[in-house]
């Protein structure tokens, strides 16, 4: 395989020495490290097709990878496998300002597309995940990740309007708007929704080499307001009332440890300080005229006042720019995409989470139970929440940072994540970007018909089992 | 002149915000001068969070909650307090009783260059 890759890509685009492969052994999370045999930097669809054909012939596993910022081991290759690094396959093929979509390759990053849209006049925006600016948009979309436009439009997979996929035999498939020649990928067409064969599959059914996806209008005025709340009930009653008024662009909730870490405390005590807010909600408002913004602010205050009448303590909204004047350490939350260095650059190197989607009605119960679990294991309860898709569901995510070199700490993360996953599942939350360990935990609860169909689809699309094997129990 | 938080892992958000504010202010000559002249404790209560600032010759120590006997105090909800700090009116919120001050008012006046960041 090595000679084939060197011939195809050139020596400079193939890594095989252990020192060069080291960054590909693991990601942020607690998953066991695994040594790939080779890493290949691809830049064209034709190269990917050729590699897949050769891998199928040799029955060599292929694992796609871009930024390496996954926290579930999904881009780790099995020992001896080949990693296809898509970071250099990063062309933006098209931005359609009128029909509001973009066509991008896997290596296109959040920052890259943001800069591109800005250069074009800034009439459009995309949603940004809380992952670093160099994160792949395509990977987040294929894994059903969320962004700061998910309150309005759902997770990023719901914005995909077309995929170009290299199948396990090297053939090329185009889905969505691209299914009909001459049709622009403005949205899903009324054909069978085969894009779904590659969304949420963690690269186990094919390798996506191009994605068309929807962009959203960028408004003239933007305000980010922080609201301090003092109980889960008050927090999520406010969230549920806000989403039904349909005037917020984004509502994010961060539990108190997240704010402390941003302000320089590496390891907050698991218990809050006396009088500490429970959550910090950040509310994004946008408008095209000043009167519209003023009305939205009035509506926000009206909703918060209605929750205060339930005997809940909620502070008045604080503008991010005012907070920045008080303490510039808040700057990571001033603009997205952002690098939350307190998560990725804390010295220990480890970052893990149990991130789930579930109904807003269960958020208080999930937070209460999850907090108890995290505190019992000595973790400050770092929790991230956000209502999605108009409030039909939301994300509830429990985050831990840890020292990857400390075996006992790694073990503690595994234990706490198992408990959190079981608790969340009991309450009706479903883990997204599901790591292999979590899929095994969930397997007994997954409908047997669904599991059987997954296996049938996998066998049909990837008969030699070369596409990111081991993920999703496949 | 240092800013030190006593037991930072347990410090409330208000105290952590104040640390950044004080560190920024101490970089200016006016802020540094003001800090060197101050001695004793000032208590700040923002909503349900309390912080005590202790001024000594070489450092400012922040303690969570109430400790010692403060020479002066400032109390209010988070928003009016932060608006004052961020450059808003000083007198208005006090006259409207949104922010309440107590104790040695001269000491609070001397504190101003430290809690209002240099432009």
């Amino acid at each position: 395989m090595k000679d084939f890759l060197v011939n195809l890509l050139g020596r400079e685009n193939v890594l095989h020495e252990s020192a060069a492969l080291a960054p590909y052994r693991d990601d942020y999370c607690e998953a066991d490290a695994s040594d790939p045999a080779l890493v290949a930097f691809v830049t064209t669809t034709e190269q990917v097709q050729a590699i897949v054909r050769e891998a199928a012939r040799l029955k060599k596993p292929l694992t796609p990878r871009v930024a390496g910022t996954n926290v579930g081991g999904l881009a780790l290759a099995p020992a001896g496998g080949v990693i296809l690094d898509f970071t250099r396959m990063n062309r933006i093929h098209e931005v359609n300002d009128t029909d509001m979509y973009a066509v991008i390759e896997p290596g296109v990053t959040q920052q890259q597309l943001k800069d591109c849209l800005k250069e074009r006049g800034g009439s459009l925006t995309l949603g940004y995940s809380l992952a670093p600016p160099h994160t792949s948009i395509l990977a987040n979309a294929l894994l059903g990740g969320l962004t700061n436009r998910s309150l309005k439009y759902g997770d990023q997979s719901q914005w995909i309007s077309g995929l170009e996929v290299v199948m396990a035999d090297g053939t090329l498939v185009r889905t969505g708007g691209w299914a009909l020649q001459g049709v622009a990928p403005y949205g899903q067409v009324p054909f069978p929704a085969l894009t779904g064969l590659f969304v949420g599959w963690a690269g186990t059914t094919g390798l996506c080499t191009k994605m068309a996806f929807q962009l959203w209008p960028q408004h003239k005025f933007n305000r980010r307001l922080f609201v301090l709340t003092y109980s889960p009930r008050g927090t999520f009653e406010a969230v549920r009332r806000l989403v039904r008024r349909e005037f917020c662009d984004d509502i994010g909730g961060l539990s108190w440890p997240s704010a402390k870490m941003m302000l320089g405390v590496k390891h907050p005590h698991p218990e809050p300080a006396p009088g500490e807010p429970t959550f910090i909600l950040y509310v994004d408002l946008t408008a095209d005229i000043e009167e519209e913004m003023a009305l939205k602010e009035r509506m926000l205050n009206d909703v918060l006042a209605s929750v205060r009448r339930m005997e809940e303590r909620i502070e008045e909204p604080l503008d991010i720019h005012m907070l920045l004047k008080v303490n510039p350490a808040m700057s990571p939350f001033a603009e997205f995409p952002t690098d939350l260095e307190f998560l990725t650059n804390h010295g220990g190197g480890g970052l893990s989470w149990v991130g789930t989607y579930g109904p807003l009605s269960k958020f208080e119960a999930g937070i209460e139970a999850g907090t108890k679990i995290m505190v019992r294991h000595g973790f400050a309860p770092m929790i991230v929440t956000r209502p999605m898709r108009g409030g039909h569901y939301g994300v509830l995510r429990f985050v831990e940072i840890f020292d990857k070199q400390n075996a006992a700490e790694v073990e503690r993360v595994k234990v706490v994540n198992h408990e959190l996953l079981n608790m969340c599942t009991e309450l009706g939350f479903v883990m997204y970007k599901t790591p292999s360990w979590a899929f095994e935990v969930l397997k007994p609860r997954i409908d047997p018909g669904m599991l059987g169909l997954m296996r049938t689809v996998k066998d049909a699309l990837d008969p030699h089992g070369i596409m990111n094997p081991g993920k999703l129990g496949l | 002149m240092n800013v030190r938080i006593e037991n930072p892992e347990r410090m409330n958000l208000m105290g952590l915000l104040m640390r950044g504010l004080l560190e920024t202010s101490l970089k200016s000559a006016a802020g540094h001068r003001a800090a060197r002249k101050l001695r004793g404790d000032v208590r700040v209560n923002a909503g349900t969070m309390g912080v005590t600032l202790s001024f000594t010759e070489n450092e400012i120590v922040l303690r969570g909650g109430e400790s010692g006997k403060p020479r002066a105090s400032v109390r209010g909800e988070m928003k009016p307090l932060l608006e004052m700090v961020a450059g808003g009116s000083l007198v208005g919120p006090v006259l409207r009783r949104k922010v309440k001050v107590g104790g040695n008012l001269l000491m609070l006046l001397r504190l101003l260059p430290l809690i209002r960041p240099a432009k």
Side-chain angles (χ1 to χ4, degrees), chain A residues 228 230 256 259-261 263-269 271-277 280 313 315-318 321-323 325-328 330, chain B residues 5 8-14 16-22 24 46-50 76-80 82-87 98 117:
Chain A
L228 307 185
Y230 289 82
W256 57 268
K260 285 190 172 186
M261 291 172 75
L263 293 171
V265 180
K266 279 195 174 175
H267 299 284
H269 191 277
E271 300 284 353
E276 191 107 77
I280 295 107
R313 178 175 175 77
E315 303 265 2
E316 287 184 76
L318 308 169
H321 297 294
M322 178 172 73
L323 286 168
K325 282 185 187 170
V326 176
N327 193 325
M330 298 291 289
Chain B
I5 294 183
E9 285 72 24
R10 300 219 64 159
M11 174 51 82
N12 58 44
L13 284 174
M14 183 62 192
L16 297 172
L17 277 171
M18 288 196 77
R19 173 173 62 182
L21 174 69
L22 293 169
T24 304
T48 50
M49 289 182 281
E77 292 298 322
M78 196 72 150
K79 188 174 181 183
L82 291 182
E83 280 174 343
M84 283 175 90
V85 167
K98 292 265 186 189

Side-chain angles (χ1 to χ4, degrees), chain A residues 2 72 96 99 102 140 206 225 237 283 292 311 317 356 370 376 389 408:
Chain A
K2 182 184 148 199
N96 188 312
D99 294 326
N140 190 54
L225 298 156
E237 193 53 43
V283 179
E292 184 187 6
E311 305 294 313
T356 62
R376 182 154 39 80
R389 192 87 170 165

Side-chain angles (χ1 to χ4, degrees), chain A residues 44-107:
Chain A
T44 68
T45 298
E46 292 73 22
Q47 288 172 352
V48 178
Q49 287 179 283
I51 293 168
V52 167
R53 286 193 194 102
E54 183 67 2
R57 192 178 69 80
L58 299 172
K59 303 207 174 25
K60 200 80 175 163
L62 297 173
T63 297
R65 178 166 171 136
V66 194
T69 51
N70 184 250
V71 288
L74 294 178
L76 301 186
V82 178
I83 286 179
L84 296 191
D85 188 320
F86 283 91
T87 46
R88 298 175 191 171
M89 192 167 171
N90 61 352
R91 283 169 290 251
I92 298 169
H93 286 271
E94 184 185 359
V95 173
N96 188 312
D97 297 298
T98 309
D99 294 326
M100 297 191 291
Y101 67 83
V103 177
I104 60 169
E105 291 183 339

Side-chain angles (χ1 to χ4, degrees), chain B residues 31-44:
Chain B
H32 194 78
R33 266 199 311 275
R36 293 203 78 86
K37 286 181 191 163
L38 287 163
R39 291 289 181 277
D41 291 356
V42 176
R43 183 162 301 146
V44 180

